[in-house]
Amino acid sequence: MNQPASAYFIEERHDPNETHTLAVLVQNEPGVLARVIGLFSGRGYNIESLTVSETEAQKHLSRITIVTTGTPMVIAQIKHQLDRMIPVYQVVDMTQTRRSIERELAMVKVRGQGEHRVESLRLADAFRARVIDATTESFVFEITGNTDKINQFIDLMRPLGLVEVSRTGVAAIGRGPEGM
Amino acid sequence: MSDKSHDPNQMTGAAMIVRALIDHGVTDIFGYPGGAVLPIYDEIFQQSEVQHILVRHEQGAGHAAEGYARSTGKPGVALVTSGPGATNMVTPLTDALMDSIPLVCISGQVPTHLIGNDAFQECDTVGITRPCTKHNWLVRDVNDLAKVLHEAFYVATTGRPGPVLVDVPKDVQFATGTYHPPRKSDVHRSYAPRVKGDATQIRKAVSLLAGAKRPVIYSGGGVINSGPEATKLLRELVEVTGFPITSTLMGLGAYPASGKNWLGMLGMHGTYEANMTMHDCDVMLCVGARFDDRITGRVDAFSPNSKKIHIDIDPSSINKNIRVDVPIIGDCGNVLGDILQVFKAEAKKPDIKSWWQQIAQWRARNSLYYKKSNDIILPQHAIQSLFEATRGKDTYITTEVGQHQMWAAQFFGFEEPHRWMTSGGLGTMGYGLPAAVGVQVAHPDSLVIDIAGDASVQMTMQEMSTAVQYELPIKIFILNNQYMGMVRQWQQLLHGNRLSHSYSEALPDFVKLAEAYGAVGLQVHKPADLDGAIKEMISVKRPVLFDCRVAALENCFPMIPSGKAHNEMLLPEQANDEATAKAFAGGKALV
């Protein structure tokens, strides 16, 4: 390995990346989201998707769902780094537990006439997307599902006059009777 | 309506801050006044329980608080104003975060209604300091202030210690509210550092230790942070097992340098025997250290054939750089106690005689060798002379960052913890002088020496004025080679000897500078005069700038070249042009 002239040991790591969905339960206080996001940007971790909302208003608890990629060592680091933040109650790796459901909601605007318009409606039906707004030349579809399904639907809409997409990002929950 | 005027817990936010300091046993704080903290300074003026040390720059306050904390084990406290006061604290906060130093910084902020308005001396203090604190708070309601202050002290001092910041807008300082003394419920329920190690993991660790043929203990700053009990237990473990021990820069003093099992510091400028022992060991016990890149060398060649046990209170330190076999999350002292108990009950001292023979061979290489001269002072010689002159004295050492820091770590022997204050993780030039101020405030009768370089010391030189004002007899021992030595060393080794901006042009006359501050200036050129001058420096009961003119082009060895492993160290006698060129291969033109 030819090392460039540096005080640091520069090397590339070649471990394969994995995608993980993390559910992070936090105290809902000012700045908490900035802390979490700052951790990701500051330490060079990826955010593929981020969803956050207060889930228990009385206890001031919010739930952040993060989809991230990294080597197994990096994923473990991310979990530990999140867990040691003061306002973080719990970090659960929804991918590792292998018993979780992930859903995303998207609103997809499609503009077209004639056969394209009919085809988009037919596909929407097949994907169980609902029409939530319509004009004589456009539809807005609402679709929920996992990320792959939504990506597939959007790809299909592209040649049919896709105008705009708004997505919520992933929300995840464990299967079975137990809570987090 | 109840009459609250006689309730002793009714007070202004500013009064609450001083009261909370007193309730947390704080006797000294370091700070600099300004518009947004005037109400707090007004309270400080009207009491005598908390002594305020006025620094000359907020960075000085931060490093002084760090020195204070590191030398006492208590949290250091800094008080700064909004805007530039807060931004000047960023370096010490980051420094404290990297080295796990408990620091509580209280900053003033513009009044609540002006926040976000780009008001005079406004900055987003909590935003700026979020990544350089363990946690921080903006207090918008005076009735939250007591709780936040108590939580701040708790967070700074428990678990893996670190810096915290509480940002208090000026209107909150003026407002009256209810204070309460510290109580358990002041802390986030989500914050609960794990102290006790897992029993199964401890058993696994003991069985590895008991079966070791080529063991090593590698300890770090975590042992010192854990407190005197951890140091005692570490020493006992070394005694009971008979294992060799090395330590990181931050961990020096936990095991005495005069101890028979001591290998010296490890890492980039560690001893040959320490690094070789790490590389060839079969069982490594890492206590309160974090496998930093200056320690490991090339990670894929780091101690390739060992089982590794890692004790750390911070789970994120585990498997961050190096994969370990037996992680134990918990407080060093607590876990060491459990390991010792199990070891004493179930194991006996392994026979590692042949391992010690091997180590003796490495030691015989004498990796800290340097050639003394009668004409010119070698920096290593200067440190050794300083060490000899302070032996048996109640001494505290701080350093700046660079070659002098490494030489100090190599040649100054530390017998006790909390005696060595250095900027390890962040590598902050300018740390040592203000840190010495903080140490001297905490230990007024001790000998406090900042081992400095001519470049570093100029970064925070203004704190000499603080030392003179408070009659703090700190000794600034400058190894003056008229270079940023470590920068130059790297340029020589890795950048074709193109010494880009590493020469200290236009150095001040340090003797005159000392005199200008009202301190004492000493200068020495000749090896023959060195001991006498050091003696004089120690006997002077005033702050001293000691200009020790040393060999300009001396470099710091031994050294692990970049991209190399522990067993590929460059030793001083090998550091001729050819070997150096080879070690730093890549076809670079070298010195």
Side-chain angles (χ1 to χ4, degrees):
Chain A
M1 188 181 67
N2 239 344
Q3 166 90 9
S6 169
Y8 295 91
F9 305 104
I10 298 166
E11 60 168 328
E12 290 175 41
R13 298 190 180 201
H14 295 289
D15 289 350
N17 277 352
E18 294 176 359
T19 300
H20 283 238
T21 304
L22 308 177
V24 188
L25 207 59
V26 300
Q27 187 79 30
N28 186 15
E29 59 187 25
V32 67
L33 186 60
R35 279 179 212 285
V36 170
I37 292 172
L39 171 72
F40 276 76
S41 63
R43 292 189 182 263
Y45 306 144
N46 297 313
I47 298 181
E48 306 260 301
S49 161
L50 178 92
T51 312
V52 54
S53 183
E54 191 166 65
T55 49
E56 287 181 70
Q58 274 171 338
K59 292 187 193 163
H60 301 290
L61 287 182
S62 284
R63 182 162 168 144
I64 303 175
T65 309
I66 305 169
V67 180
T68 183
T69 58
T71 63
M73 231 161 142
V74 168
I75 299 281
Q77 263 297 300
I78 293 173
K79 287 188 274 185
H80 288 315
Q81 293 287 356
L82 284 168
D83 208 19
R84 75 174 184 155
M85 301 185 108
I86 310 295
V88 170
Y89 280 91
Q90 208 184 350
V91 181
V92 175
D93 186 339
M94 306 304 275
T95 306
Q96 208 164 51
T97 57
R98 290 189 189 286
R99 294 185 65 249
S100 63
I101 309 162
E102 292 180 14
R103 288 292 180 271
E104 207 182 330
L105 183 146
M107 289 181 276
V108 180
K109 186 178 284 185
V110 180
R111 182 177 189 166
Q113 283 172 335
E115 191 48 39
H116 278 178
R117 185 171 161 81
V118 177
E119 182 61 17
S120 69
L121 207 54
R122 258 201 298 266
L123 284 166
D125 192 43
F127 276 77
R128 295 189 192 160
R130 294 197 302 137
V131 175
I132 54 173
D133 179 69
T135 68
T136 54
E137 52 170 341
S138 73
F139 289 121
V140 174
F141 298 115
E142 174 200 307
I143 179 170
T144 53
N146 61 31
T147 303
D148 284 349
K149 175 183 166 182
I150 290 172
N151 286 345
Q152 203 188 350
F153 182 71
I154 292 167
D155 283 345
L156 287 169
M157 287 301 122
R158 217 175 294 278
L160 302 178
L162 181 72
V163 175
E164 190 180 346
V165 179
S166 173
R167 297 169 75 150
T168 57
V170 173
I173 199 161
R175 291 182 186 272
E178 272 83 40
M180 189 165 136
Chain B
M1 214 178 94
S2 66
D3 179 15
K4 285 191 168 177
S5 61
H6 297 297
D7 181 348
N9 285 328
Q10 287 296 305
M11 61 182 85
T12 64
M16 281 184 198
I17 289 169
V18 175
R19 177 74 179 275
L21 294 177
I22 294 166
D23 281 354
H24 286 277
V26 175
T27 51
D28 305 277
I29 66 171
F30 304 88
Y32 203 102
V37 281
L38 285 178
I40 305 171
Y41 273 86
D42 202 27
E43 289 294 329
I44 288 172
F45 188 83
Q46 299 174 55
Q47 54 85 50
S48 55
E49 279 171 272
V50 179
Q51 187 201 3
H52 176 271
I53 306 292
L54 175 68
V55 294
R56 299 300 182 265
H57 183 291
E58 286 87 354
Q59 186 190 352
H63 293 320
E66 282 189 273
Y68 186 94
R70 190 87 183 140
S71 67
T72 58
K74 296 195 295 185
V77 181
L79 173 60
V80 299
T81 194
S82 64
T87 57
N88 282 342
M89 273 301 294
V90 166
T91 300
L93 287 172
T94 312
D95 192 275
L97 186 71
M98 293 286 265
D99 287 345
S100 308
I101 307 295
L103 206 67
V104 177
C105 177
I106 294 159
S107 58
Q109 182 55 278
V110 302
T112 318
H113 70 276
L114 285 177
I115 290 178
N117 238 337
D118 296 332
F120 177 64
Q121 291 195 329
E122 183 192 353
C123 71
D124 176 10
T125 302
V126 284
I128 290 168
T129 60
R130 201 174 283 133
C132 57
T133 52
K134 185 173 170 185
H135 199 64
N136 62 12
W137 297 259
L138 169 64
V139 183
R140 288 172 173 273
D141 179 345
V142 69
N143 287 308
D144 293 336
L145 187 55
K147 176 181 155 56
V148 168
L149 289 167
H150 300 325
E151 183 176 21
F153 274 91
Y154 186 78
V155 169
T157 53
T158 53
R160 179 177 179 177
V164 297
L165 178 140
V166 182
D167 200 25
V168 190
K170 196 170 181 181
D171 56 326
V172 175
Q173 298 169 31
F174 276 127
T176 300
T178 310
Y179 179 82
H180 66 259
R183 59 187 184 206
K184 228 182 158 152
S185 60
D186 289 330
V187 181
H188 272 82
R189 278 178 300 123
S190 49
Y191 177 69
R194 204 155 112 196
V195 175
K196 184 125 183 87
D198 181 80
T200 326
Q201 294 292 90
I202 284 166
R203 279 188 182 280
K204 272 194 212 164
V206 170
S207 94
L208 276 178
L209 294 173
K213 300 266 182 296
R214 303 186 308 278
V216 67
I217 298 173
Y218 144 47
S219 80
V223 176
I224 294 170
N225 276 337
S226 175
E229 185 64 13
T231 298
K232 201 183 119 237
L233 290 166
L234 178 74
R235 293 175 178 202
E236 192 182 340
L237 184 71
V238 174
E239 189 58 42
V240 167
T241 58
F243 288 177
I245 176 167
T246 178
S247 135
T248 65
L249 183 72
M250 298 307 295
L252 296 176
Y255 185 81
S258 62
K260 66 178 175 20
N261 295 33
W262 178 239
L263 301 175
M265 181 176 77
L266 83 159
M268 184 173 273
H269 292 290
T271 65
Y272 184 66
E273 54 270 33
N275 286 333
M276 287 304 286
T277 304
M278 288 287 282
H279 187 268
D280 282 7
C281 69
D282 67 347
V283 175
M284 177 188 298
L285 174 65
C286 169
V287 197
R290 58 186 177 89
F291 296 96
D292 170 87
D293 59 83
R294 299 290 113 146
I295 291 302
T296 58
R298 191 170 140 192
V299 285
D300 59 1
F302 174 75
S303 193
N305 302 312
S306 61
K307 293 276 184 202
K308 299 174 187 75
I309 305 160
H310 187 185
I311 306 170
D312 205 298
I313 200 161
D314 178 1
S316 76
S317 287
I318 309 267
N319 289 334
K320 184 166 66 182
N321 304 322
I322 298 290
R323 195 170 287 285
V324 297
D325 302 280
V326 184
I328 306 175
I329 296 160
D331 169 67
C332 289
N334 206 296
V335 175
L336 281 173
D338 288 349
I339 287 182
L340 259 171
Q341 200 184 8
V342 179
F343 191 95
K344 282 197 268 191
E346 297 173 13
K348 61 180 206 313
K349 211 173 194 164
D351 176 15
I352 54 165
K353 219 175 283 161
S354 60
W355 182 228
W356 274 113
Q357 281 162 2
Q358 171 64 69
I359 291 169
Q361 282 177 26
W362 289 326
R363 200 173 255 160
R365 296 292 291 273
N366 193 15
S367 63
L368 296 181
Y369 171 81
Y370 65 94
K371 207 169 164 205
K372 267 193 199 167
S373 156
N374 291 326
D375 306 320
I376 191 153
I377 300 171
L378 270 296
Q380 300 94 321
H381 174 208
I383 305 269
Q384 276 187 316
S385 301
L386 184 68
F387 176 49
E388 291 306 327
T390 57
R391 242 186 228 277
K393 289 195 161 59
D394 176 21
T395 311
Y396 292 84
I397 299 291
T398 71
T399 75
E400 312 290 337
V401 168
Q403 285 182 326
H404 67 272
Q405 176 191 30
M406 291 297 108
W407 282 317
Q410 290 173 338
F411 291 95
F412 204 101
F414 293 94
E415 297 295 307
E416 295 297 330
H418 301 295
R419 297 281 169 164
W420 164 246
M421 271 56 60
T422 194
S423 172
L426 193 63
T428 309
M429 291 171 70
Y431 167 88
L433 200 162
V437 166
V439 175
Q440 191 81 75
V441 167
H443 309 277
D445 300 322
S446 305
L447 175 61
V448 181
I449 304 171
D450 169 29
I451 297 176
D454 53 274
S456 283
V457 75
Q458 292 188 76
M459 286 201 175
T460 49
M461 179 57 85
Q462 75 284 347
E463 301 307 330
M464 278 309 281
S465 179
T466 309
V468 170
Q469 178 182 347
Y470 293 94
E471 297 176 5
L472 304 168
I474 56 172
K475 318 295 184 216
I476 313 302
F477 189 79
I478 305 168
L479 294 182
N480 184 352
N481 61 359
Q482 301 171 65
Y483 275 105
M484 292 158 217
M486 195 58 97
V487 171
R488 188 208 58 214
Q489 179 165 346
W490 282 94
Q491 288 173 337
Q492 288 175 297
L493 297 176
L494 295 158
H495 294 275
N497 202 26
R498 289 179 293 279
L499 307 188
S500 182
H501 298 274
S502 54
Y503 180 66
S504 297
E505 196 88 47
L507 269 184
D509 179 332
F510 285 115
V511 174
K512 280 191 186 151
L513 186 59
E515 284 160 5
Y517 276 117
V520 176
L522 295 171
Q523 191 181 52
V524 57
H525 291 267
K526 294 280 166 218
D529 304 332
L530 182 60
D531 287 340
I534 289 176
K535 212 170 157 192
E536 186 183 350
M537 174 186 87
I538 293 172
S539 66
V540 173
K541 296 295 170 227
R542 286 165 61 198
V544 178
L545 274 184
F546 188 104
D547 184 9
C548 184
R549 294 298 181 116
V550 297
L553 293 176
E554 187 67 8
N555 278 340
C556 187
F557 290 105
M559 175 178 191
I560 304 178
S562 56
K564 303 282 172 155
H566 275 171
N567 60 346
E568 299 173 284
M569 279 201 99
L570 196 59
L571 295 176
E573 80 269 14
Q574 302 168 327
N576 56 34
D577 297 357
E578 197 191 338
T580 310
K582 222 165 128 193
F584 293 86
K588 294 266 173 200
L590 287 160
V591 201

